[in-house]
Amino acid sequence: MGVFSKIHRFREAGQDANVNNVEKFGVPALSLFTTTKVFTLHHHIDVVDNEENVVYESNSKFISLHDKTDITKAGVHVAHIERKLLTLHERHYITMNDGTKFELSNEIFHIIKDITNIEGLGWQLRGNCLGLNFELYDSNSEIIAIISQKMLSIHDKWCVDIYKKEHTNIIVAILISLQHMIKDRQATSSGSSSGGSSGN
């Protein structure tokens, strides 16, 4: 891995924790990994542990303006996610099974900002999809998790190093929401590119 792992923090299940994460924050309490089958009508994401056992499952309705998604753990409902398009902003509303509600919001035509506030929790997501790395902090600026995406993968692979296990369900909901937001943005971008432009 060498220096590259310093910049790009993604790793596969079963591999050691990223050296940069360990140097900065210590060994994570838990790590989870996702793989999305890109060419499926039913948007399904498995979230697995280091031994590749499925821990969470995410399923989305394919034909849905609001991109409704449900996350389960061992068959038990964990969270519901819905997308809303409001003027120039894209919002994902998350409702946890215990009633906790929060939302992620970004301007549709911009790459995810360096800091995204998670409204309702007081948390912040720091990073952007150019770097493929995101650090999740709580309201006291303490690290909660580090989310990383694999470069150039047809299966859209992600990993998350979790430092506060008590928030694992919420972290997984944020991870799934983030994947949806980036895929939506990529689809919008590719659609704009293929459509061309009529002016400067």
Side-chain angles (χ1 to χ4, degrees):
M1 287 188 176
V3 176
F4 189 63
S5 64
K6 283 274 193 178
I7 302 166
H8 184 54
R9 305 189 205 174
F10 175 84
R11 64 189 175 96
E12 302 276 3
Q15 294 181 340
D16 291 338
N18 176 268
V19 62
N20 190 55
N21 293 356
V22 173
E23 286 179 1
K24 191 171 182 181
F25 303 110
V27 176
L30 173 70
S31 297
L32 297 172
F33 309 84
T34 77
T35 298
T36 306
K37 293 182 175 63
V38 177
F39 304 108
T40 57
L41 295 181
H42 193 65
H43 193 63
H44 177 87
I45 300 174
D46 283 333
V47 182
V48 303
D49 61 18
N50 238 349
E51 284 73 47
E52 299 192 33
N53 301 307
V54 176
V55 184
Y56 295 87
E57 293 183 67
S58 168
N59 289 288
S60 304
K61 293 181 180 178
F62 175 62
I63 303 175
S64 171
L65 177 64
H66 297 297
D67 189 22
K68 295 180 179 179
T69 301
D70 287 287
I71 301 171
T72 57
K73 181 179 183 181
V76 177
H77 189 264
V78 171
H80 177 76
I81 304 168
E82 284 196 28
R83 177 187 63 197
K84 297 273 179 77
L85 298 178
L86 304 171
T87 61
L88 295 179
H89 285 77
E90 172 193 37
R91 291 181 183 269
H92 279 70
Y93 293 92
I94 299 99
T95 304
M96 304 302 296
N97 217 36
D98 65 2
T100 301
K101 296 183 179 182
F102 56 95
E103 62 187 75
L104 274 69
S105 173
N106 269 292
E107 293 181 25
I108 295 172
F109 301 110
H110 289 77
I111 291 171
I112 285 181
K113 303 171 187 174
D114 286 337
I115 295 180
T116 300
N117 291 315
I118 300 177
E119 299 171 29
L121 294 179
W123 295 3
Q124 285 188 335
L125 198 60
R126 303 176 188 173
N128 58 64
C129 57
L130 280 180
L132 305 178
N133 302 310
F134 300 85
E135 295 177 355
L136 182 62
Y137 292 88
D138 66 14
S139 57
N140 297 316
S141 291
E142 294 181 0
I143 191 71
I144 300 172
I146 300 170
I147 300 171
S148 305
Q149 183 183 15
K150 184 176 183 180
M151 294 179 66
L152 306 175
S153 171
I154 63 170
H155 292 294
D156 192 26
K157 292 186 175 183
W158 293 69
C159 73
V160 55
D161 285 338
I162 297 170
Y163 289 87
K164 295 196 175 187
K165 286 178 68 175
E166 65 271 25
H167 298 310
T168 299
N169 285 354
I170 292 178
I171 293 166
V172 169
I174 291 171
L175 169 65
I176 299 298
S177 299
L178 184 61
Q179 286 187 247
H180 279 251
M181 291 178 84
I182 290 179
K183 288 201 75 67
D184 288 346
R185 187 158 292 117
Q186 289 171 341
T188 300
S189 175
S190 62
S192 300
S193 299
S194 61
S197 62
S198 57
N200 293 329

